[in-house]
Amino acid sequence: MDMTTDTQVEVTDGFHLVIDALKLNGINTIFGLPGIPITDFTRKAQAEGIRVISFRHEQNDGNAAAIAGFLTQRPGICLTVSAPGFLNGLTALANATTNCFPMILISGSSEREIVDLQQGDYEEMDQLAIAKPLCKAAFRVLHAEDIGVAVARAIRAAVSGRPGGVYLDLPAKMFAQTMDGAAGKKSLIEVVDPAPRQIPSQEAVQRALELLKTAKRPLILLGKGAAYAQADANIRALIEETGIPYLPMSMAKGILPDTHEQSAAAARSFVLPGADVVLLIGARLNWLRSYGKGKTWGGKGHKDPGGQKFIQIDIWPQEMDSNVRIDAPLVGDIGSCVSALLAGIGSGWPKPPADWLGAIAERKDKNLAKMAETLAKNPTPMNFHSALNVVRDIIKANPDAILVNEGANALDFTRSIVDMYKPRKRLDVGTWGIMGIGMGFAVSAAVVTGESVIAIEGDSAFGFSGMEVETICRYNLPVCVVVFNNNGVYRGTDVNPAGGPDVAPTVFVKDARYDKLIEAFGGVGMHATNPAELRKGMEEAIRSRKPTLINAVIDETAGTESGRITSLNPQSAKKK
Ligand code: ADP
Ligand code: TPW
């Protein structure tokens, strides 16, 4: 009997067990960057039918994983080497946790006994300890037979309850550990019901309905949790059957089309202080909503409440009362909570008072007319408005395209000008306002959905992940990057106050040609100096599905410092 053949067939190892555990749980894509000790893992994963998308910097594959999680409700996987690769991925892990996106950062690590004695191993670092405060959960596997449990726990931690980032530490030695193939297979776990529904209590539903019934000026606020939850039809039914006006947060745009008559987005500064009862669906009252108090909400001073009563739907009980009193907390998953509200509302729910709806419509019409006037102008050079007027038309004609967006002015103007028509089509800088998500999100969105992706990027923002245009070309992805080039961070007009040869800290090389970057990798580069050229370039990119970068020249004096959040930027009172 030939013993060697028999044992070879029977044996598995750490590499294969990790791959098998991921596949068993429906994970078919990894975003990563190879090197010691995971190079062979990337090869084996590809050989076993997992799509391995390889990047140029780990922060970008981390962002790709995070947004894959947001789009699919399955944890996106980011794979890195030890210490420096791990640290490069960590920003994305922390950002995912902050934004409630499910992802798993899997990093190779060095030898435990050497790391723990700090004896100076190759890329030595106590990665588990460093990751812990930045994610929902962190696990390390020392033995191949524990891989099944570790992957199962990582998946559950990422997607159950409030989604977030999870760290999985895989020491080099573990990958090569072998074990009996049958026992290995048995050790794997196919996770049953990884994100269990969380049904709200009847009392909580009743309390919410009773409060909503008292409202004279009700408002619904949709956040990205509502987009993540994929309860689109029920959310729309709740809004339409109650007739309540709603405001979408940035990444909640498109759950209902932005052109919906109940959208109060164009009357935001009127409805926030005006509302008496606000229903929050998957939206936190953090800085992006002025903490639910202060002048934005009609309060006298910056910490005074505006007097609204709040109903909040969230899966995380501790979110309640984090800034203001939540009068009717509705804890549970959005799908279950919204359908419970719908059931309670029944058919005869009275529409909000006509004076409230009329006042909103009046504001909206006025603001939309003002906006239309601004958009119709055609200044030379282009400004944000005339360029975004084009983007607005392109998205309207291609509502399935995914819009990735970062920058300051490039972000704020795009958010308010470009209407979205479908859920989960707008991906941006999220809760932190982080720069650098652009190309990672774009690659991921194209890979995960197969749809065309349009990335509207400030020139500074683009620089954080710009090298990934090579990745876009390498995988031949239908991504059209539009760099709004105004020669610098925010604007290109600052002058060195000391008068030396260095330019000001916010200023870049003038008249740079970002389009040349993508040409280096075989992509299509275009230079647009007016809306007609921009339109032609974008239409061609969508039609051809070829990797494209359009350098859109924007007036360097347009825009403001920090975009819409200038007030958060401390300024020295001293003149010199
Ligand atoms: P935005 O920035 O768009 O306002 P946030 O990120 O502040 O949104 O809020 C998202 C909220 O949604 C988080 O508090 C999170 O706990 C919650 N959330 C995420 N997924 C679900 C879900 N499936 N069910 C209920 N709440 C959810
Ligand atoms: C990781 C600070 C916020 S916005 C921005 C920076 C550097 C760039 C703005 O210039 P851009 O856009 O992109 O050219 P525009 O349209 O205004 O000209 N580092 C990180 N995150 C943030 N948010 C910053 C720095 C910042």
Side-chain angles (χ1 to χ4, degrees):
M1 197 166 113
D2 183 350
M3 293 292 288
T4 42
T5 322
D6 271 355
T7 44
Q8 270 171 4
V9 170
E10 292 280 321
V11 163
T12 187
D13 61 13
F15 290 107
H16 287 92
L17 286 166
V18 176
I19 292 163
D20 292 346
L22 294 173
K23 280 173 66 178
L24 185 64
N25 286 290
I27 292 169
N28 53 20
T29 307
I30 291 175
F31 303 95
L33 199 163
I36 295 172
I38 49 114
T39 311
D40 215 28
F41 178 79
T42 60
R43 273 188 208 112
K44 296 276 181 310
Q46 194 171 46
E48 297 291 331
I50 290 188
R51 186 147 194 222
V52 182
I53 304 291
S54 199
F55 283 70
R56 306 298 295 262
H57 188 290
E58 291 88 350
Q59 192 175 120
N60 304 322
D61 48 284
N63 286 324
I67 211 64
F70 171 76
L71 290 168
T72 64
Q73 297 183 324
R74 280 175 196 233
I77 306 293
C78 169
L79 179 69
T80 80
V81 302
S82 19
F86 157 80
L87 287 173
N88 285 346
L90 207 51
T91 306
L93 184 72
N95 188 54
T97 307
T98 300
N99 283 282
C100 315
F101 301 155
M103 78 173 271
I104 303 174
L105 172 66
I106 302 181
S107 295
S109 59
S110 308
E111 295 315 325
R112 286 309 321 152
E113 55 270 41
I114 302 179
V115 173
D116 289 348
L117 275 171
Q118 297 180 25
Q119 292 175 303
D121 200 358
Y122 168 73
E123 299 193 347
E124 175 183 293
M125 176 172 278
D126 188 0
Q127 296 168 197
L128 189 75
I130 291 165
K132 260 184 191 160
L134 299 172
C135 59
K136 270 185 85 181
F139 306 103
R140 173 157 52 223
V141 194
L142 292 181
H143 303 290
E145 70 240 42
D146 294 328
I147 287 170
V149 167
V151 170
R153 299 206 72 194
I155 291 172
R156 279 198 188 280
V159 297
S160 63
R162 169 181 276 180
V166 174
Y167 176 59
L168 187 56
D169 190 274
L170 303 181
K173 246 188 205 164
M174 198 275 317
F175 282 105
Q177 280 176 16
T178 55
M179 70 183 285
D180 174 76
K185 194 168 180 192
K186 250 199 210 150
S187 72
L188 300 182
I189 296 173
E190 183 177 359
V191 179
V192 177
D193 196 11
R197 291 176 64 194
Q198 296 191 19
I199 317 284
S201 75
Q202 259 317 309
E203 289 155 80
V205 174
Q206 268 320 316
R207 195 185 295 120
L209 285 169
E210 271 155 33
L211 180 50
L212 201 57
K213 218 174 261 172
T214 66
K216 299 268 181 301
R217 298 180 307 281
L219 178 68
I220 293 176
L221 231 156
L222 300 176
K224 63 172 113 63
Y228 174 79
Q230 298 192 15
D232 313 325
N234 274 351
I235 290 173
R236 185 173 185 144
L238 179 72
I239 288 172
E240 290 182 343
E241 283 172 31
T242 57
I244 299 175
Y246 73 96
L247 266 186
M249 295 294 290
S250 192
M251 282 177 61
K253 277 164 70 80
I255 295 177
L256 289 84
D258 282 334
T259 46
H260 196 283
E261 64 162 349
Q262 283 172 257
S263 169
R268 177 183 171 280
S269 57
F270 175 74
V271 289
L272 289 179
D276 63 352
V277 177
V278 180
L279 166 58
L280 302 161
I281 308 184
R284 288 171 282 192
L285 287 174
N286 55 19
W287 72 278
L288 284 159
R289 273 289 161 258
S290 310
Y291 313 102
K293 56 192 163 195
K295 294 198 170 141
T296 309
W297 292 85
K300 279 212 177 76
H302 82 286
K303 283 209 160 182
D304 294 330
Q308 290 83 1
K309 294 208 182 277
F310 287 98
I311 304 165
Q312 182 162 24
I313 300 182
D314 206 289
I315 202 153
W316 199 51
Q318 279 168 266
E319 185 54 41
M320 307 300 156
D321 304 327
S322 47
N323 282 294
V324 293
R325 186 166 104 154
I326 300 301
D327 304 275
L330 196 47
V331 174
D333 69 277
I334 287 166
S336 301
C337 292
V338 170
S339 52
L341 288 181
L342 267 175
I345 274 161
S347 46
W349 189 267
K351 294 280 179 258
D355 55 347
W356 174 235
L357 300 183
I360 296 172
E362 198 178 305
R363 291 293 165 128
K364 234 179 104 169
D365 291 346
K366 209 167 85 194
N367 290 341
L368 288 175
K370 221 189 303 169
M371 173 71 85
E373 214 174 282
T374 315
L375 291 178
K377 289 184 184 145
N378 190 2
T380 311
M382 273 192 291
N383 62 11
F384 289 99
H385 290 89
S386 61
L388 285 166
N389 190 37
V390 173
V391 180
R392 176 183 160 101
D393 290 347
I394 298 278
I395 292 286
K396 188 174 183 186
N398 302 278
D400 285 315
I402 293 179
L403 180 71
V404 172
N405 189 203
E406 61 178 336
N409 296 285
L411 176 92
D412 294 334
F413 285 125
T414 306
R415 187 181 52 236
S416 57
I417 292 171
V418 178
D419 289 328
M420 305 308 297
Y421 298 86
K422 295 193 175 186
R424 293 168 297 282
K425 297 294 187 186
R426 189 186 150 83
L427 312 174
D428 67 28
V429 301
T431 304
W432 267 350
I434 192 171
M435 296 299 113
I437 49 85
M439 298 304 102
F441 278 15
V443 168
S444 182
V447 165
V448 167
T449 69
E451 300 290 353
S452 289
V453 176
I454 295 168
I456 303 297
E457 300 275 313
D459 51 340
S460 165
F462 173 71
F464 287 75
S465 66
M467 192 62 209
E468 303 297 346
V469 293
E470 188 276 331
T471 310
I472 292 169
C473 292
R474 187 166 12 110
Y475 293 101
N476 194 24
L477 298 171
V479 174
C480 173
V481 182
V482 181
V483 177
F484 276 11
N485 187 357
N486 62 355
N487 296 341
V489 178
Y490 312 130
R491 274 180 310 225
T493 49
D494 271 10
V495 174
N496 179 346
D502 290 353
V503 296
T506 55
V507 168
F508 295 156
V509 165
K510 300 268 182 198
D511 306 322
R513 291 290 300 270
Y514 290 94
D515 49 318
K516 301 280 180 201
L517 272 178
I518 201 165
E519 288 175 356
F521 308 108
V524 178
M526 294 193 207
H527 183 59
T529 57
N530 59 51
E533 287 170 359
L534 179 59
R535 188 180 301 271
K536 190 162 164 272
M538 291 188 77
E539 281 173 352
E540 180 55 22
I542 295 268
R543 193 200 57 73
S544 71
R545 288 174 64 87
K546 281 192 190 144
T548 301
L549 192 155
I550 305 175
N551 183 58
V553 178
I554 302 288
D555 182 355
E556 67 172 5
T557 66
T560 56
E561 179 140 333
S562 305
R564 284 262 174 84
I565 51 176
T566 311
S567 62
L568 300 182
N569 206 13
Q571 302 277 324
S572 172
K574 245 178 114 179
K575 283 288 169 256
K576 267 204 170 167

